């Protein structure tokens, strides 16, 4: 498949381009998401030394998405996120504080907001806040340079938001290879007035049952970082 998810060759069982276009005309927008309820209770010693201080927290999370496809060659994604905490006592001490910032009852952020299109079916462009991961590991990702922060390996829900960037992808279908060029702005730093712009490049090549990838990330205020991975 190409970077935009379009098949390079069609079998007799796959839908034709016209059938796909008609399906998009009938339902160009998909809506869905996740509602995540959680709660915790702990017992401990208070700051005054008294016994059996009770702490409790119940941060509820709503993660919705709107996936719009006005045409087979254009796609737009929006993923807002809300964190509602009806109980505010001892939430931070329970390890339930989110990367959304201080919990004050109801907070929100934007996880993804991007649009994807192609230029003559050769270069695929994605503009906006998006997730781009380098490498395939889940527990520890030393080459995951473009994430908005380090992932908590024992967290049930990965609440890191996407990164603001412009991404250009150039696939080479005959060679099973792909080259990506990205211009990046750190969304967490941008909130503090320090966006730290950067440029990244990555190439991937698959052969047999393996894939090799390599890349570099140059960002203002940080040392250059280089990645190599094989799976």
């Amino acid at each position: 498949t190409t970077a935009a998810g379009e098949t390079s060759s069609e079998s007799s069982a796959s839908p034709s381009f016209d059938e796909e276009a008609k399906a998009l005309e009938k339902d160009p927008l998909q809506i869905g998401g996740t509602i995540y309820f959680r709660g915790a209770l702990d017992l401990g010693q208070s700051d005054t030394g008294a016994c059996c201080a009770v702490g409790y927290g119940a941060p509820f999370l709503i993660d919705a998405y709107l996936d719009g496809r006005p045409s087979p060659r254009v796609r737009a994604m929006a993923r807002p996120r809300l964190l509602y905490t009806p109980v505010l006592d001892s939430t931070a001490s329970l390890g339930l504080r989110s990367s959304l910032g201080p919990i004050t009852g109801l907070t929100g952020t934007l996880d993804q907001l991007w649009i994807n299109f192609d230029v003559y079916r050769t270069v695929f462009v994605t503009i906006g806040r998006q997730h781009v991961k380098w490498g395939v590991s889940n527990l520890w990702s030393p080459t995951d340079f473009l994430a908005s922060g380090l992932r908590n390996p024992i967290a049930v829900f990965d609440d890191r938001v996407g990164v603001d960037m412009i991404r250009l992808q150039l696939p080479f279908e005959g060679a099973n290879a792909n080259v990506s060029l990205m211009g990046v702005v750190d969304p967490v730093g941008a909130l503090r007035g320090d966006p730290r712009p950067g440029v990244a490049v990555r190439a991937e090549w698959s052969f047999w049952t393996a894939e090799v990838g390599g890349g570099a990330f140059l960002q203002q205020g940080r040392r250059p970082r280089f990645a190599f991975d094989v799976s």
Side-chain angles (χ1 to χ4, degrees):
T1 60
T2 64
E6 301 168 352
T7 56
S8 56
S9 61
E10 295 185 352
S11 64
S12 58
S14 63
S16 66
F17 184 84
D18 293 337
E19 292 175 346
E20 183 180 359
K22 291 179 180 179
L24 290 174
E25 290 178 0
K26 293 181 179 179
D27 191 8
L29 179 64
Q30 299 294 322
I31 300 175
T34 301
I35 299 178
Y36 181 33
F37 295 97
R38 52 187 172 176
L41 175 71
D42 68 345
L43 301 174
Q45 189 176 32
S46 67
D47 295 337
T48 60
C51 178
C52 302
V54 179
Y56 47 86
F60 301 153
L61 186 141
I62 301 175
D63 202 18
Y65 71 84
L66 295 90
D67 187 359
R69 299 172 184 258
S71 76
R73 297 175 60 183
V74 178
R75 180 182 181 185
M77 170 73 74
R79 193 169 193 126
R81 180 176 297 164
L82 288 176
L83 184 68
Y84 172 57
T85 308
V87 179
L88 299 178
D89 181 50
S90 302
T91 303
S93 65
L94 296 174
L96 297 176
R97 183 176 294 276
S98 169
S99 64
L100 303 178
I103 298 175
T104 57
L106 180 64
T107 56
T109 188
L110 188 63
D111 179 32
Q112 298 182 55
L113 181 60
W114 51 262
I115 184 170
N116 172 266
F117 57 92
D118 68 84
V119 180
Y120 296 109
R121 298 186 181 273
T122 302
V123 179
F124 297 87
V125 184
T126 308
I127 303 174
R129 178 167 295 186
Q130 53 193 291
H131 287 276
V132 177
K133 181 181 178 182
W134 291 4
V136 297
S137 56
N138 293 317
L139 183 62
W140 181 53
S141 301
T143 62
D144 195 14
F145 296 156
L146 300 185
S148 58
L150 297 177
R151 180 178 181 179
N152 183 352
I154 61 174
V156 178
F157 183 83
D158 184 8
D159 60 2
R160 296 177 298 175
V161 298
V163 176
D164 301 328
M165 71 175 72
I166 298 177
R167 179 169 49 138
L168 306 178
Q169 293 176 277
L170 181 62
F172 300 93
E173 297 184 28
N176 292 327
N178 179 69
V179 176
S180 299
L181 178 65
M182 290 143 281
V184 181
V185 174
D186 180 12
V188 178
L191 295 176
R192 301 191 300 261
D194 183 19
R196 290 192 177 187
V199 177
V201 61
R202 178 170 174 84
E204 298 171 334
W205 176 47
S206 61
F207 56 95
W208 298 320
T209 59
E211 181 179 90
V212 175
F217 186 27
L218 307 178
Q219 188 177 22
Q220 183 182 17
R222 305 190 67 172
R223 292 182 298 176
R225 284 172 285 178
F226 303 93
F228 176 79
D229 52 87
V230 59
S231 61

